[in-house]
């Protein structure tokens, strides 16, 4: 028996052939990494594609402890199986190799059982970057879904999409719902990012025009030389290359025409626009025939209309013609009670798009949102929430560290100043200033209505007026108007 060469036996050769075949299969899976560990986390299988993507040598990995080779174990699907015995499917993992290469992978891991005892685990990982690109393309397509619908001549939003509980916003929505029942021209004023088109589309979809075209044009986005032909259309021969092309007034037919940022339209075109609205006819460039137009006009300004008139960026006669119904959309800083509500909505929205589980905001994160000025309004908040979500690791809550630097640093500076004031004995001054800021915020939220503010913060009316006087806050009671 001692003289028998085991390598010459038939059984050994068959086993060696099987192992060679298995190894060839493992190593030929060019876009799949395969790795297995025993219950003590020792790596017992590691195929060639894994070594290529991880920039490691197979022989240097086999037999080593998992943590020695992959120190960042927090999101490992394989270790999760070793700890819990539960199967993990398609976990999205991003990590950096020792050589500095960023790897994206989808990893699934499974337990290895013997007699109902966990003896190890193996993971199958898809490294192919095309998977990641396909995922990101899918996300982008979902985000563009509303824009695609608009491009096809439809309005995607309704009043149910307008989020907020503040009195100012509710008032604007009530006015918009009444406007939807009318055919009168509407002028909407709101700062950039407040959601003017959200209101416009909601008005269209709630009125008699909902089954007709919705056409939107941004007057600031089209060069002056093209805007006139875009609005009114062209007759063949009007200029070199011109054909018989209808303008957006004709395209809108019996629907809604939304003129966004009307104050950016050149004044000479505003004169022609006024004539179209008054006469309800349009003449193409180079044409001699007037065509009747029946579309409803909704316009918007991103600056106060009366200021635009003073600056001569908006004709006063056009303003009076398009502002039969006026709706002011409040900026986000004037409805702070809506900030957290909107943030939670955007978290749910983007968590669904990115395929992430339920996410919670920390108290500090919410506090930082409330402290920020939001000059970009709801649009800025939406982008901040998406950016914060992208920066998170799986299983984390949304923390201040995930915020954009300009928001995070301002919030941290405030806390630092508060701490310094406290340490230097300036607690009394700090508390006075804090109360003053709180009262100003509450007054802004109620549009400076003393009775509503007192009820909001739990003061009596007389006590509130006394504190305002002591803190140097000038009374501007809207109730007396």
């Amino acid at each position: 028996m001692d003289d028998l060469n085991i390598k010459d036996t038939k059984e050994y050769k068959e086993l060696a052939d099987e192992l060679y075949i298995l190894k060839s299969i493992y190593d030929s899976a060019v876009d799949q990494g395969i790795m297995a560990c025993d219950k003590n986390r020792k790596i017992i299988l590691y195929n060639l594609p894994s070594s290529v993507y991880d920039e490691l040598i197979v022989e240097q990995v086999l037999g080593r402890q998992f943590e020695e080779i992959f120190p960042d174990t927090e999101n490992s699907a394989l270790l999760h199986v070793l700890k819990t015995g539960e199967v993990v499917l398609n976990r999205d993992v991003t990590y950096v190799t020792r050589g500095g290469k960023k790897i994206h992978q989808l990893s699934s891991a499974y337990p290895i059982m013997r007699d109902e005892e966990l003896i190890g685990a193996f993971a199958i990982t898809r490294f192919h970057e095309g998977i990641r690109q396909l995922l990101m393309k899918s996300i982008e397509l979902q985000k563009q879904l509303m824009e695609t619908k608009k491009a096809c001549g439809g309005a995607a939003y309704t009043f149910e999409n307008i989020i907020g509980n503040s009195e100012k916003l509710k008032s604007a929505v009530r006015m918009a719902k009444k406007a939807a029942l009318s055919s009168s021209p509407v002028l909407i004023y709101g700062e950039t990012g407040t959601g003017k088109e959200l209101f416009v589309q909601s008005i269209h979809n709630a009125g008699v025009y909902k089954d007709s075209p919705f056409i939107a044009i941004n007057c600031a986005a089209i060069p002056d030389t093209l805007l006139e032909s875009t609005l009114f259309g062209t007759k063949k021969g009007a200029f070199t290359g011109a054909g018989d092309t209808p303008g957006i007034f004709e395209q809108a037919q019996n629907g809604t025409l939304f003129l966004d940022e009307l104050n950016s339209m050149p004044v000479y075109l505003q004169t022609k626009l006024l004539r179209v609205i008054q006469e309800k006819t349009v003449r193409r460039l180079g044409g001699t025939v007037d065509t009747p137009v029946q579309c409803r006009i909704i316009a918007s300004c991103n600056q106060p209309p009366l200021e635009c008139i003073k600056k001569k960026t908006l004709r006063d006669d056009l303003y009076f013609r398009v502002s039969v119904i006026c709706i002011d959309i409040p900026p986000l800083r004037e409805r702070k009670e809506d900030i957290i509500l909107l943030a939670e909505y955007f978290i749910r929205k983007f968590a669904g798009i990115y395929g992430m589980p339920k996410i919670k905001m920390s108290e500090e994160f919410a506090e930082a949102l409330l402290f920020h000025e939001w000059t970009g309004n709801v649009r800025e908040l939406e982008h901040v929430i998406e950016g914060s979500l992208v920066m998170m690791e799986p299983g984390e809550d949304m923390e201040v560290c995930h915020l954009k630097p300009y928001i995070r640093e301002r919030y941290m500076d405030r806390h630092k100043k508060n701490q310094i004031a406290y340490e230097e004995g300036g607690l009394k001054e700090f508390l006075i200033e804090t109360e003053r800021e709180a009262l100003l915020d509450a007054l802004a939220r109620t549009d400076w209505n003393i009775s509503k503010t007192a009820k909001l913060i739990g003061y009596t009316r007389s006590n509130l007026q006394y504190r305002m006087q002591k803190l140097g806050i000038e009374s501007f009671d809207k109730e007396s108007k």
Side-chain angles (χ1 to χ4, degrees):
M1 189 71 179
D2 292 337
D3 296 330
L4 180 64
N5 188 342
I6 296 178
K7 292 183 179 181
D8 292 333
T9 65
K10 179 180 178 182
E11 290 81 0
Y12 177 85
K13 290 181 179 180
E14 289 177 349
L15 180 59
D17 288 343
E18 289 180 9
L19 289 173
Y20 179 80
I21 292 170
L22 286 174
K23 185 177 185 302
S24 299
I25 293 172
Y26 294 153
D27 291 342
S28 64
V30 294
D31 65 343
Q32 288 189 331
I34 302 174
M35 179 167 59
C37 289
D38 64 17
K39 63 181 180 180
N40 297 316
R41 301 187 178 186
K42 184 173 72 174
I43 301 172
I44 57 176
L45 177 64
Y46 187 71
N47 74 337
L48 184 60
S50 295
S51 70
V52 172
Y53 280 96
D54 292 338
E55 299 180 335
L56 296 169
I57 299 173
V58 173
E59 288 72 21
Q60 294 177 342
V61 173
L62 290 174
R64 304 279 292 277
Q65 290 296 119
F66 185 93
E67 292 88 341
E68 291 182 55
I69 306 300
F70 306 101
D72 185 8
T73 62
E74 184 176 354
N75 198 35
S76 168
L78 193 146
L79 291 190
H80 179 83
V81 174
L82 287 177
K83 289 177 183 177
T84 66
E86 300 173 350
V87 173
V88 175
L89 296 176
N90 294 325
R91 175 173 289 184
D92 190 6
V93 179
T94 300
Y95 64 97
V96 179
T97 67
R98 293 183 178 182
K101 180 182 176 183
K102 192 172 185 179
I103 299 293
H104 302 293
Q105 64 181 32
L106 289 174
S107 183
S108 297
Y110 307 86
I112 301 174
M113 309 295 293
R114 179 193 291 164
D115 299 329
E116 298 185 356
E117 179 185 354
L118 182 70
I119 63 171
F122 71 96
I124 299 175
T125 300
R126 286 176 284 170
F127 292 101
H128 187 30
E129 184 63 19
I131 296 173
R132 183 76 174 185
Q133 293 173 357
L134 183 62
L135 176 63
M136 298 310 295
K137 182 64 176 177
S138 175
I139 290 171
E140 187 63 26
L141 287 173
Q142 289 185 61
K143 291 171 69 176
Q144 292 177 357
L145 182 60
M146 294 301 187
E147 295 299 325
T148 301
K149 185 174 181 180
K150 287 191 289 181
C152 295
Y157 299 112
T158 65
F159 286 114
E160 285 69 29
N161 298 118
I162 300 176
I163 298 170
N165 290 322
S166 64
E167 283 303 319
K168 286 187 175 182
L169 185 70
K170 287 181 178 179
S171 176
V173 171
R174 284 194 294 270
M175 291 186 65
K177 286 181 177 179
K178 290 181 179 179
L181 304 177
S182 166
S183 60
S184 300
V186 179
L187 179 65
I188 295 179
Y189 161 64
E191 296 177 3
T192 299
T194 51
K196 295 185 289 296
E197 187 158 350
L198 188 64
F199 271 77
V200 175
Q201 292 191 26
S202 298
I203 291 171
H204 172 83
N205 283 326
V208 296
Y209 299 92
K210 63 182 179 180
D211 295 324
S212 299
F214 174 85
I215 305 294
I217 179 173
N218 189 317
C219 301
I222 301 177
D224 297 355
T225 53
L226 296 178
L227 185 57
E228 185 173 7
S229 60
T230 302
L231 286 168
F232 309 123
T234 59
K235 187 71 176 176
K236 187 174 182 179
F239 51 83
T240 303
D244 287 320
T245 306
I248 58 174
F249 275 96
E250 292 181 63
Q251 294 175 41
Q253 300 172 14
N254 296 319
T256 300
L257 175 58
F258 175 39
L259 302 172
D260 193 14
E261 297 191 30
L262 180 63
N263 52 300
S264 298
M265 180 183 291
V267 176
Y268 79 92
L269 281 183
Q270 293 183 26
T271 305
K272 294 187 176 184
L273 175 63
L274 178 62
R275 179 185 176 278
V276 172
I277 296 174
Q278 289 177 335
E279 303 296 331
K280 294 188 180 299
T281 61
V282 65
R283 180 178 295 182
R284 297 184 185 181
L285 271 67
T288 58
V289 178
D290 291 335
T291 302
V293 291
Q294 301 295 327
C295 62
R296 180 190 193 165
I297 304 296
I298 302 181
S300 76
C301 291
N302 59 2
Q303 296 177 9
L306 295 181
E307 286 187 15
C308 294
I309 292 173
K310 289 180 180 179
K311 295 177 182 177
K312 299 187 182 302
T313 58
L314 180 64
R315 287 180 58 105
D316 54 356
D317 49 1
L318 178 61
Y319 163 70
F320 293 122
R321 191 67 187 83
V322 299
S323 63
V324 176
I325 300 173
C326 284
I327 300 172
D328 286 356
I329 304 177
L332 192 55
R333 64 180 174 276
E334 292 182 7
R335 52 185 186 106
K336 288 195 172 183
E337 60 265 54
D338 292 339
I339 291 176
I340 301 304
L341 189 66
L342 284 162
E344 290 173 342
Y345 167 78
F346 290 132
I347 288 173
R348 291 193 299 272
K349 171 185 174 181
F350 289 113
I353 289 175
Y354 286 97
M356 299 180 72
K358 187 176 180 180
I359 295 169
K360 295 188 297 183
M361 290 184 288
S362 69
E363 291 184 11
E364 292 78 12
F365 185 91
E367 185 179 339
L369 296 184
L370 292 171
F371 179 68
H372 186 57
E373 293 293 333
W374 299 113
T375 55
N377 293 292
V378 179
R379 185 181 300 146
E380 181 188 7
L381 175 60
E382 180 179 10
H383 293 165
V384 165
I385 293 299
E386 182 181 9
S388 299
L389 187 143
V390 169
M391 296 304 296
M392 294 173 58
E393 294 294 335
E396 286 186 320
D397 288 341
M398 202 167 267
E399 302 285 355
V400 174
C401 62
H402 300 128
L403 285 167
K404 293 180 181 293
Y406 72 95
I407 299 177
R408 180 177 66 245
E409 290 170 5
R410 185 169 179 267
Y411 173 73
M412 298 305 292
D413 285 345
R414 179 202 186 196
H415 275 269
K416 185 177 180 181
K417 289 177 181 177
N418 292 347
Q419 183 65 25
I420 292 173
Y422 179 79
E423 291 175 354
E424 292 179 352
L427 180 58
K428 181 178 179 181
E429 291 77 10
F430 169 68
L431 292 175
I432 290 173
E433 184 59 28
T434 300
E435 182 184 9
R436 189 174 189 278
E437 289 181 5
L439 290 184
L440 286 171
D441 178 64
L443 286 163
R445 289 166 62 181
T446 62
D447 201 21
W448 284 75
N449 184 298
I450 299 298
S451 296
K452 289 183 179 179
T453 303
K455 184 178 180 180
L456 179 66
I457 63 177
Y459 281 19
T460 64
R461 180 184 170 89
S462 58
N463 190 26
L464 173 59
Q465 290 175 319
Y466 171 76
R467 293 307 303 165
M468 289 173 63
Q469 184 180 1
K470 294 289 288 184
L471 294 169
I473 300 175
E474 184 179 353
S475 179
F476 183 59
D477 195 345
K478 291 292 182 73
E479 295 166 285
S480 62
K481 282 192 164 185

